[in-house]
Amino acid sequence: MRMGSKRSVWLLALFAALFLLLGLLLGRPQLRDEPPNLSFSSDTDGLKAWRELLQERHPLVGEWRQRWDELPAGSGRLLIAAEPAGVSGVEWQALHEWLKTGNSVLLLGDLPDQPFWELTEGWSPAPDEGEPSEATGSDEQAESDEKASGDQKAGTDEEAPLSAVDASALLGPGAYEAQAEASPRIAVLDGEGEALVTDERGTLAARQSVGSGSATLAVEPRWMQNGTALSGSHAELMAALLAGSWTEILFDEQHHGYTSAPGAFAVLPRPLLLASALLLLALLLALWSAGKRFGPTRVPREWTVRRGDETVRALAAWYERFGLMDEALERQRRRLRQQLAQRWGLPAAASPEQAAAAARSRWSEEDALRLRRALEERPLQAAGRKAARREFTARSKEASELAALLRGGAEPGRGHRR
């Protein structure tokens, strides 16, 4: 190989490698940044890990992508709503009525609009002498709380420090740690539920009964997120909060921006659906009364079944009884003349000799003579009823054989074709 050819090959390989490298660098697909707290998200701020775990332990685990005022009827269901956004007052009221029927809800996050508890800013220790003033300490606390809340909502991968929490009301005595940097705390008043998880600043999780159901609020959604689900005592806390014999577990996705439009029967008002059903029923009754039938078309048997031998026998007996056998033979002669006109073009007034002459060029001599005899107007010569009947039968049979020869569907009765 020449030096120039080798150089061209190396340059071509170099350009191909550069092209592939640029394609990998520029065309690398970017992962979509999903919103936080999605039950089907594998990001660090998603809830997919807990959803898959629940699917292994419960028969029915799914998503709810409609408004809360359209929640399914029945009891025994658990609705998990992690930081739902844009919940209207009508939906909160509908959720409250839904809980009264024996269902439960687990709310996660700082939800100031929820109607079950009041949220406080938590407890802050008083500064000692020589430390910054109270106003300065309050400002620094507010800034740190705002920063922690911003990091939490932004879904950063930086893990917040763990702090000691008291979960004896939920898990029994023990040392538990959890992320508890969220500034709001739950104000649990006497007779309005019980505190489940607390720290030195207040209540982090609480539950209260609502009719036959219950409502649970945890201000820290990071306890359930993928990136921090195994940190500290988060797994134990969430397992206890989710414990129960639920018939169905629903993750709320409607307030994360994922909705499913209801069907036409759910959108249309019930009076309109009822009126449409009655109108359709009236239309079907009108068609039925007008004689319309729905089903296969049945053809009467007498239109499809060929007449049997009994018809011919009946006609023969009728002709014989009334002495009309000569008329029957005349009908047979007219039928033969009609077939001769259709097949061979002979005129209807052709004589028997002319028909026999035309038949000699097509049939045998014997068949031509039979055709001439069949076309001759000869009354029955036999004396007596039985003899006349035998002669009539023989002449009718001969006429039938000649008609079959004209149709070309049978062999000649006698002799051979030329």
Side-chain angles (χ1 to χ4, degrees):
M1 185 180 292
R2 297 180 180 180
M3 293 297 295
S5 300
K6 291 184 178 180
R7 184 176 181 182
S8 300
V9 171
W10 282 108
L11 287 176
L12 182 61
L14 180 60
F15 284 138
L18 289 176
F19 178 77
L20 293 176
L21 182 61
L22 289 176
L24 292 175
L25 293 178
L26 300 178
R28 180 182 299 175
Q30 300 293 331
L31 295 178
R32 181 183 176 183
D33 187 15
E34 299 283 356
N37 302 312
L38 296 179
S39 63
F40 52 86
S41 174
S42 301
D43 294 346
T44 56
D45 55 1
L47 310 181
K48 188 175 181 179
W50 266 105
R51 176 173 176 175
E52 292 183 352
L53 179 62
L54 291 173
Q55 287 176 341
E56 294 178 359
R57 300 182 179 182
H58 294 273
L60 294 177
V61 176
E63 303 173 8
W64 185 252
R65 298 194 175 193
Q66 298 182 27
R67 291 169 52 88
W68 286 355
D69 50 2
E70 299 176 0
L71 285 168
S75 61
R77 291 183 174 87
L78 173 64
L79 177 66
I80 301 175
E83 290 191 329
V87 184
S88 63
V90 176
E91 290 185 89
W92 284 119
Q93 182 63 30
L95 177 64
H96 194 274
E97 298 297 327
W98 186 68
L99 297 179
K100 289 182 179 180
T101 61
N103 301 289
S104 300
V105 63
L106 173 60
L107 302 173
L108 300 172
D110 177 10
L111 305 176
D113 296 334
Q114 50 82 27
F116 303 105
W117 295 277
E118 294 181 2
L119 299 182
T120 65
E121 292 300 325
W123 172 80
S124 178
D128 297 335
E129 293 183 1
E131 294 183 354
S133 63
E134 182 178 355
T136 304
S138 300
D139 294 341
E140 292 178 355
Q141 182 67 32
E143 290 178 1
S144 64
D145 292 342
E146 182 179 357
K147 181 180 180 181
S149 177
D151 292 342
Q152 172 187 341
K153 294 182 179 179
T156 58
D157 295 335
E158 183 179 356
E159 187 172 345
L162 300 174
S163 59
V165 296
D166 181 11
S168 57
L170 185 64
L171 299 172
Y176 305 103
E177 291 182 337
Q179 293 181 1
E181 290 187 354
S183 58
R185 292 296 187 270
I186 304 172
V188 181
L189 305 177
D190 295 339
E192 294 186 3
E194 60 174 333
L196 302 178
V197 182
T198 61
D199 65 353
E200 61 181 5
R201 295 174 55 188
T203 301
L204 294 167
R207 175 179 295 160
Q208 66 171 274
S209 298
V210 181
S212 301
S214 64
T216 305
L217 173 63
V219 296
E220 279 288 354
R222 289 178 294 180
W223 294 356
M224 200 176 188
Q225 293 177 356
N226 299 329
T228 54
L230 299 179
S231 300
S233 304
H234 294 171
E236 292 86 350
L237 294 175
M238 289 309 307
L241 292 175
L242 293 170
S245 55
W246 314 111
T247 59
E248 187 177 8
I249 298 178
L250 301 173
F251 284 87
D252 175 62
E253 301 296 353
Q254 197 272 344
H255 297 94
H256 294 150
Y258 294 87
T259 60
S260 60
F265 289 102
V267 173
L268 297 177
R270 294 183 182 274
L272 180 60
L273 292 176
L274 180 60
S276 302
L278 293 177
L279 181 62
L280 178 61
L281 181 60
L283 178 61
L284 292 177
L285 291 176
L287 290 175
W288 179 80
S289 63
K292 305 299 181 182
R293 297 294 182 268
F294 302 95
T297 303
R298 301 187 181 277
V299 180
R301 182 176 182 273
E302 58 269 18
W303 291 4
T304 57
V305 178
R306 298 181 62 183
R307 290 187 176 183
D309 186 54
E310 65 274 4
T311 305
V312 179
R313 291 180 180 274
L315 288 174
W318 186 75
Y319 277 105
E320 179 185 0
R321 179 179 302 174
F322 293 96
L324 301 176
M325 289 185 287
D326 288 331
E327 285 78 358
L329 293 176
E330 178 62 26
R331 288 176 177 273
Q332 293 177 3
R333 285 193 292 270
R334 288 200 299 268
R335 178 60 179 166
L336 279 176
R337 290 183 180 277
Q338 183 180 2
Q339 288 182 330
L340 288 172
Q342 293 175 353
R343 298 288 181 175
W344 297 349
L346 291 177
S351 63
E353 289 76 12
Q354 292 175 346
R360 287 188 180 94
S361 62
R362 296 174 175 84
W363 294 347
S364 64
E365 180 65 22
E366 184 68 21
D367 289 333
L369 294 176
R370 293 171 60 202
L371 178 61
R372 189 188 68 179
R373 288 197 305 268
L375 294 178
E376 291 177 351
E377 297 182 1
R378 296 180 294 113
L380 295 175
Q381 302 295 332
R385 185 174 181 180
K386 291 185 179 181
R389 180 178 180 183
R390 284 195 298 267
E391 184 180 355
F392 172 75
T393 302
R395 293 172 65 173
S396 296
K397 182 178 180 182
E398 189 176 45
S400 299
E401 291 177 355
L402 293 172
L405 282 175
L406 286 173
R407 290 194 302 269
E411 292 296 331
R414 299 170 187 171
H416 301 280
R417 289 192 184 187
R418 291 183 178 178

